[in-house]
Amino acid sequence: MRLTTILGKSCLTLLVAASACHGLHQQRSPLPEPIVLIVRNDGFFDVNVYAMPSPGSSPVRLAMVTGSSSATLRVPVTDLQQGYVLVVRCHAIGTRYWWTSPGVTVDESSVARLDIATDHDGNMSRSTLYTSVSTTTTIDSVSRAGRAPFVALDDR
């Protein structure tokens, strides 16, 4: 009888532990959505754009943006540095030049923007990476608050 009681309590303990683990597994939140990066390449050179997941790691190629064009990229959260910091590295194809941006902190309410400015040699030292507020997010948050969005009128 004593062996049956011990086995019963052991099975009950295992069942409770398994249920708790299963509950924790179900409560995990999915990875956040990728960050939107809008790239504007004002130069002549095609440019490879990379994300730098950590300071000492190898760059992760995001896309190639042709000269005098724009592209909208989605950067996976796994390609951001700790604290949701985006750092990009660019290489003007056919040149010796690389440019690494300073880090910018991004979140779901912002859009990252990369303006690539190259000179006649392919040097990108005048390029900039910055964030701006997402228009869609702003309108959504205002709508949820129950207020009409602000509309600027032209003075003409």
Side-chain angles (χ1 to χ4, degrees):
M1 184 99 167
R2 183 158 171 82
L3 182 60
T4 315
T5 305
I6 292 172
L7 284 175
K9 287 182 180 180
S10 296
C11 288
L12 181 61
T13 303
L14 286 173
L15 182 63
V16 169
S19 296
C21 289
H22 180 70
L24 288 176
H25 179 68
Q26 285 182 337
Q27 292 177 358
R28 284 187 191 163
S29 60
L31 284 175
E33 294 293 318
I35 301 301
V36 175
L37 172 62
I38 299 173
V39 181
R40 188 179 71 197
N41 184 354
D42 290 331
F44 170 76
F45 293 94
D46 296 344
V47 175
N48 279 324
V49 179
Y50 301 85
M52 299 294 294
S54 65
S57 69
S58 297
V60 176
R61 187 174 184 274
L62 299 173
M64 189 270 299
V65 181
T66 57
S68 301
S69 71
S70 296
T72 300
L73 311 177
R74 301 217 178 266
V75 182
V77 175
T78 55
D79 291 344
L80 300 177
Q81 294 187 6
Q82 189 172 17
Y84 293 103
V85 174
L86 174 64
V87 176
V88 296
R89 189 165 191 203
C90 299
H91 177 245
I93 298 173
T95 73
R96 61 187 170 105
Y97 293 105
W98 288 82
W99 176 75
T100 303
S101 73
V104 295
T105 304
V106 293
D107 61 23
E108 65 278 349
S109 67
S110 64
V111 172
R113 295 182 181 270
L114 172 61
D115 293 337
I116 301 171
T118 55
D119 66 10
H120 65 281
D121 248 358
N123 184 335
M124 295 169 283
S125 61
R126 296 177 319 177
S127 298
T128 55
L129 175 67
Y130 58 98
T131 60
S132 63
V133 177
S134 170
T135 309
T136 307
T137 304
T138 304
I139 292 171
D140 288 345
S141 61
V142 169
S143 298
R144 276 186 249 125
R147 296 185 210 116
F150 176 78
V151 178
L153 299 176
D154 200 357
D155 289 337
R156 290 184 233 180

